[in-house]
């Protein structure tokens, strides 16, 4: 392995000191949250659906993998295992008032991919943090089996037509029947205001022209609508299910088993073909034989989380991003980005300009055509550009910026739930790499540190007893933030919140501790991003020597071609790893040549070789 030794001894930049302060502060706050808001053993006091409880700790494994304190991984594992057991039917845990236990065989048995993906974030990052945990390897294989047709108890997948048999796939198989509760919530939502974005009332057009208020109170009408909903919605597939590619890719990253790779490409190829048959627009529903609009008289719109729903772009595009990223990583074929780029252009090519010059795009399509115009979010374009590093995709972002009259792109939005979900901080990050926001690294670290300090103060000031916490049922603050650390240290947008795998230009491993993440006292900044190179600055802020490995890509999917230290002559490299030695109070600016998507991706650490070692056998599902 090529070894680079730092010699420069400048004063540490402010961003580096703030970054280490942030990592320490979030690490100190995490046990306060666990102690205050969970039982001994980890079960949270708050009562919510299982995916929402996983979400309370969704990024703790990632924080550890970036460089958080050693105990972070143990706390993350404790919470995942405690929540899983508490909801699992095998443990007779907490039950949903309508569906019973929400977990079977350690996986969801009553929800679709928007919510499965949210909860899976915690599980996916265990592979990034420490892949040699045999229990999680076995889980990864078992969960994947539920979706690729290997688990006889969960026959979700139809290999002949390359579809899932229902929009709701579970550990107990596809949900093929609706009930009045589901139909009411999804069709109308009048009494479920917080759930209205699921609504697909318009999807019944032209089969039903009018849905009167109170239809669910008439037994005959309730049965009629529920049966119609079952036929139109519950038999066939929707593109939102493309998020399942991350679960199967997760199994591949652990095992390298070719069957997982084949399945991901087979499923993605099926949707790409349907997209092309539909004039470049992703149809939001297919029927039992994979035909577009098969249950809706040929109508390509109106599906579950489809074009006619309130939050159509966010939910629908998230799944396209996840699948495109997985397929590209598994093949090195940039053609798979058509799955995402075509959908972004579907919106942008239909944009209009308001009188003040603000660019607006249509978010929804229904019987009235394209409608509900609004400002387009940057996070989808940021993921596309990071995947392709293509100038044309870069220009799509500049086009968005040129038409944005309502936002100062240099200003960081406050950190919190919206920023995590919507990717608001991507505006300021793009400005930095475009040479327009040089203070972004320092601003970013100050913003995240301020959020951690406020969350910590909230936890420390909360003097409620466990009984009061249960009664109030308030979701506690998560003092662990990773969005800015991901952007800054890994050189990538944060993973898609609803089930995306980690994105990274580079990542790091502590050689002395033999673990993932930056060593103590070391800060990192990816200061340059280009198609064939990246710039990384490493700073040792402490009094001890540190040695780390820099890896090309989140999963060693890239390869380094050259390295320059502090502007000196370049050394040739042909490997996914570099070793960097940082004596006390030194820094290194590395200009790295990069060949992207040139290697087989894996969770294996640099000292593991090509495959993840596990202490116990991890057999096939059968």
């Amino acid at each position: 392995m090529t070894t680079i030794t730092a010699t420069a001894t400048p004063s540490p930049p402010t961003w580096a000191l703030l970054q280490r302060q942030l990592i320490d502060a979030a690490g100190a706050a995490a046990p306060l949250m666990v102690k205050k808001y969970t039982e001994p053993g980890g079960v949270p006091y708050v009562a919510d659906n299982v995916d929402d409880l996983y979400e309370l700790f969704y990024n703790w494994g990632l924080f550890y993998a970036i460089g958080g304190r050693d105990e972070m991984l143990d706390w993350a594992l404790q919470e995942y295992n405690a929540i899983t057991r508490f909801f699992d039917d095998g443990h007779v845990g907490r039950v949903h008032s309508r569906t019973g236990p929400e977990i079977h065989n350690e996986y969801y048995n009553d929800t679709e991919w928007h919510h499965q993906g949210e909860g899976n974030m915690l599980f996916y990052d265990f592979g990034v943090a420490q892949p040699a945990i045999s229990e999680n390897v076995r889980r990864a294989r078992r969960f994947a089996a539920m979706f690729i047709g290997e688990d006889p108890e969960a026959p979700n997948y139809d290999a002949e037509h390359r579809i899932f048999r229902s929009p709701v796939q579970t550990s107990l198989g596809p949900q093929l029947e609706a009930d009045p509760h589901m139909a009411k919530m999804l069709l109308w939502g009048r009494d479920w205001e917080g759930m209205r974005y699921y609504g697909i009332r318009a999807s019944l057009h032209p089969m039903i022209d009018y849905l009167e208020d109170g239809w669910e109170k008439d037994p005959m009408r309730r049965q009629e609508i529920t049966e119609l909903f079952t036929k139109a919605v519950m038999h066939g597939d929707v593109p939102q299910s493309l998020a399942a590619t991350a679960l199967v890719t997760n199994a591949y990253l652990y095992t390298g088993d070719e069957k997982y790779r084949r399945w991901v490409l087979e499923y993605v190829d099926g949707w790409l073909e349907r997209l092309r048959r539909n004039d470049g627009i992703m149809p939001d529903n297919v029927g039992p034989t994979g035909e577009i609009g098969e249950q809706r008289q040929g109508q390509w719109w109106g599906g579950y989380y489809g074009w006619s729903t309130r939050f159509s772009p966010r939910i629908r595009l998230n799944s396209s991003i996840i699948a495109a990223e997985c397929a590209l990583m598994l093949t090195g074929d940039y053609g798979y980005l058509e799955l995402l780029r075509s959908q972004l252009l579907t919106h942008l090519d239909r944009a209009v300009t308001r009188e003040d010059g603000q660019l607006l795009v249509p978010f929804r399509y229904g019987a009235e055509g394209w409608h509900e115009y609004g400002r387009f979010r940057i996070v989808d374009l940021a993921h596309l550009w990071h995947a392709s590093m293509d100038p044309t995709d870069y220009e799509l972002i500049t086009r968005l910026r040129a038409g944005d009259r309502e936002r100062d792109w240099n200003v960081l939005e406050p950190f919190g739930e919206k920023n995590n979900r919507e990717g608001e901080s991507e505006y300021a990050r793009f400005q930095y790499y475009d040479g327009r926001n040089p203070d972004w690294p320092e601003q970013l670290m100050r913003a995240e540190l301020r959020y951690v300090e406020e969350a910590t103060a909230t936890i420390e000031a909360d003097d409620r007893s466990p009984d009061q916490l249960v009664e109030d049922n308030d979701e506690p603050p998560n003092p662990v933030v990773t969005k800015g650390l991901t952007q800054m240290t890994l050189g990538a947008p944060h993973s898609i919140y609803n089930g995306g795998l980690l994105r990274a230009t580079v990542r790091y491993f502590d050689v002395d501790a033999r673990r993932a993440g930056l060593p103590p006292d070391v800060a990192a900044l990816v200061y340059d991003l280009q198609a064939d190179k990246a710039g990384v600055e490493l700073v040792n802020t402490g009094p001890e020597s540190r040695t780390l490995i820099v890896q090309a890509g989140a999963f060693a999917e890239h390869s380094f071609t050259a390295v320059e230290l502090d502007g000196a002559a370049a050394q040739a490299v042909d490997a996914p790893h570099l070793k960097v030695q940082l004596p006390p109070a030194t820094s290194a600016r590395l200009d790295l040549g990069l060949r992207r998507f040139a290697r087989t991706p894996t969770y294996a650490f640099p000292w593991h070789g090509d495959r993840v070692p596990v202490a116990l056998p991890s057999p096939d599902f059968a």
Side-chain angles (χ1 to χ4, degrees):
M1 189 180 298
T2 299
T3 300
I4 302 296
T5 301
T7 58
T9 57
S11 298
T14 302
W15 65 258
L17 298 174
L18 289 169
Q19 188 181 108
R20 290 311 315 183
Q21 188 178 351
L22 170 64
I23 292 173
D24 291 343
L32 302 179
M33 178 185 171
V34 172
K35 184 176 181 179
K36 180 65 184 180
Y37 298 107
T38 74
E39 299 175 350
V43 175
Y45 291 127
V46 63
D48 211 332
N49 293 328
V50 61
D51 64 286
D52 295 308
L53 296 192
Y54 286 141
E55 285 180 75
L56 296 177
F57 311 94
Y58 82 100
N59 58 349
W60 286 31
L62 174 59
F63 179 71
Y64 169 88
I66 291 174
R69 59 190 286 184
D70 289 345
E71 298 90 342
M72 287 298 308
L73 178 57
D74 292 332
W75 291 325
L77 289 164
Q78 170 187 280
E79 294 308 319
Y80 179 81
N81 290 326
I83 294 167
T84 300
R85 287 194 301 268
F86 194 56
F87 282 87
D88 196 283
D89 54 10
H91 293 85
V92 196
R94 182 183 291 166
V95 298
H96 192 286
S97 60
R98 183 175 60 88
T99 59
E102 293 184 61
I103 293 287
H104 173 72
N105 208 3
E106 297 192 308
Y107 198 75
Y108 308 92
N109 67 15
D110 75 337
T111 192
E112 29 51 50
W113 267 104
H114 177 65
H115 291 94
Q116 288 187 38
E118 287 176 334
N120 282 352
M121 297 293 287
L122 175 57
F123 179 67
Y124 292 157
D125 285 333
F126 291 146
V128 175
Q130 176 48 274
I133 299 175
S134 63
E135 180 177 36
N136 287 332
V137 179
R138 291 193 297 273
R139 282 170 169 158
R141 297 174 72 99
R142 188 169 68 251
F143 297 167
M146 298 171 183
F147 292 87
I148 67 174
E150 287 187 346
D151 182 352
E153 193 177 10
N156 290 298
Y157 187 59
D158 178 347
E160 178 184 357
H161 300 107
R162 293 180 294 178
I163 63 168
F164 287 115
R165 298 173 58 213
S166 167
V168 182
Q169 313 110 37
T170 79
S171 54
L172 289 170
Q175 185 171 341
L176 299 173
E177 299 291 333
D179 59 35
H181 175 96
M182 172 183 282
K184 179 181 179 181
M185 183 177 74
L186 297 177
L187 291 175
W188 190 250
R190 181 172 294 275
D191 298 325
W192 304 83
E193 188 62 32
M195 300 278 193
R196 290 196 69 179
Y197 60 89
Y198 301 110
I200 59 169
R201 179 164 54 99
S203 73
L204 294 185
H205 176 85
M207 293 173 285
I208 184 169
D209 294 324
Y210 176 70
L211 192 64
E212 67 279 4
D213 292 353
W215 60 268
E216 76 283 354
K217 297 176 182 178
D218 180 338
M220 293 185 64
R221 186 64 163 158
R222 183 171 64 241
Q223 180 178 355
E224 176 190 2
I225 296 300
T226 301
E227 289 177 354
L228 180 59
F229 182 88
T230 292
K231 178 181 178 182
V233 177
M234 302 307 293
H235 292 264
D237 203 359
V238 294
Q240 183 229 354
S241 300
L242 280 162
T245 55
L247 186 72
V248 180
T249 300
N250 176 67
Y252 178 83
L253 293 169
Y254 273 116
T255 67
D257 194 325
E258 181 65 15
K259 67 182 178 182
Y260 300 126
R261 179 182 179 275
R262 286 196 304 267
W263 183 90
V264 169
L265 302 182
E266 173 183 291
Y267 188 59
V268 171
D269 285 343
W271 279 107
L272 273 172
E273 290 177 15
R274 295 172 200 123
L275 180 155
R276 292 162 185 160
R277 292 203 307 268
N278 200 49
D279 297 326
I281 300 175
M282 178 67 79
D284 67 18
N285 69 97
V286 297
T289 67
E291 291 301 313
I292 298 170
E294 186 176 349
Q295 305 290 75
R296 292 185 173 85
Q297 302 176 17
Q299 180 178 287
W300 59 266
W301 56 269
Y304 198 23
Y305 288 108
W307 284 97
S308 60
T309 53
R310 180 179 173 188
F311 291 139
S312 165
R314 178 167 73 86
I315 294 175
R316 183 172 37 77
L317 289 174
N318 281 350
S319 297
S320 293
I321 293 170
I322 291 167
E325 289 175 339
C326 287
L328 169 59
M329 182 175 65
L330 292 173
T331 64
D333 183 350
Y334 288 90
Y336 279 107
L337 293 180
E338 178 189 357
L339 189 71
L340 172 60
R341 187 182 293 112
S342 64
Q343 300 319 290
L344 301 181
L345 292 175
T346 293
H347 292 280
L348 290 170
D349 288 349
R350 291 168 173 80
V352 298
T353 303
R354 206 167 56 194
E355 290 182 359
D356 63 355
Q358 175 65 49
L359 187 74
L360 302 174
V361 304
F363 287 150
R364 300 171 68 182
Y365 187 88
E368 62 272 59
W370 297 99
H371 61 287
E372 194 172 305
Y373 285 75
R375 292 174 55 248
F376 203 54
R377 65 179 192 170
I378 190 176
V379 65
D380 311 294
L381 292 164
H383 274 266
L384 176 62
W385 177 53
H386 181 260
S388 73
M389 296 306 295
D390 189 313
T392 59
D393 295 328
Y394 188 89
E395 290 168 4
L396 289 177
I397 304 180
T398 62
R399 173 182 168 189
L400 190 69
R401 181 177 61 191
D404 196 342
R405 298 291 183 270
E406 297 181 359
R407 175 189 294 274
D408 181 347
W409 281 35
N410 286 336
V411 174
L412 280 165
E413 294 288 329
F415 277 78
E417 180 180 356
K418 180 181 179 183
N419 210 325
N420 283 333
R421 292 174 184 265
E422 300 295 337
E424 297 292 316
S425 60
E426 284 296 324
Y427 296 95
R429 184 179 87 95
F430 179 78
Q431 294 289 87
Y432 173 74
Y433 289 111
D434 200 37
R436 300 188 178 203
N437 192 4
D439 296 329
W440 169 75
E442 183 177 334
Q443 294 171 356
L444 181 66
M445 292 296 94
R446 290 191 187 280
E448 288 212 327
L449 183 59
R450 183 167 61 250
Y451 172 82
V452 172
E453 290 171 344
E454 292 173 355
T456 302
T458 298
I459 295 170
E460 291 177 333
D462 192 343
D463 60 0
R464 289 175 293 174
S465 68
D467 286 343
Q468 289 175 308
L469 291 170
V470 170
E471 182 177 354
D472 293 344
N473 202 34
D474 296 329
E475 186 174 293
N478 177 6
V480 177
V481 290
T482 50
K483 183 176 287 286
L485 288 171
T486 298
Q487 293 170 333
M488 190 171 173
T489 67
L490 308 186
H494 201 277
S495 310
I496 288 296
Y497 187 78
N498 297 86
L501 297 180
L502 179 65
R503 301 291 88 207
T505 301
V506 293
R507 61 178 292 220
Y508 314 96
F509 298 87
D510 184 337
V511 172
D512 295 325
R514 288 184 70 81
R515 53 154 285 188
L518 291 164
D521 302 323
V522 176
L525 167 65
V526 177
Y527 61 81
D528 185 30
L529 283 176
Q530 298 186 46
D532 59 353
K533 62 181 180 179
V536 179
E537 183 172 3
L538 301 171
V539 181
N540 184 354
T541 66
E544 299 182 24
S545 293
R546 302 295 183 186
T547 304
L548 67 154
I549 291 173
V550 183
Q551 175 175 287
F555 315 112
E557 68 270 27
H558 308 324
S559 187
F560 295 124
T561 60
V563 56
E564 296 179 13
L565 172 63
D566 298 330
Q571 297 183 50
V573 183
D574 184 16
H577 300 109
L578 294 168
K579 185 181 291 185
V580 180
Q581 295 176 336
L582 294 171
T586 59
S587 68
R589 285 178 68 89
L590 306 176
D591 290 296
L592 302 166
L594 201 62
R595 189 167 65 252
R596 304 172 73 247
F597 302 108
R599 292 175 46 84
T600 301
T602 177
Y603 278 140
F605 286 180
W607 46 85
H608 288 159
D610 294 333
R611 291 289 177 264
V612 175
V614 291
L616 297 173
S618 182
D620 286 332
F621 179 81

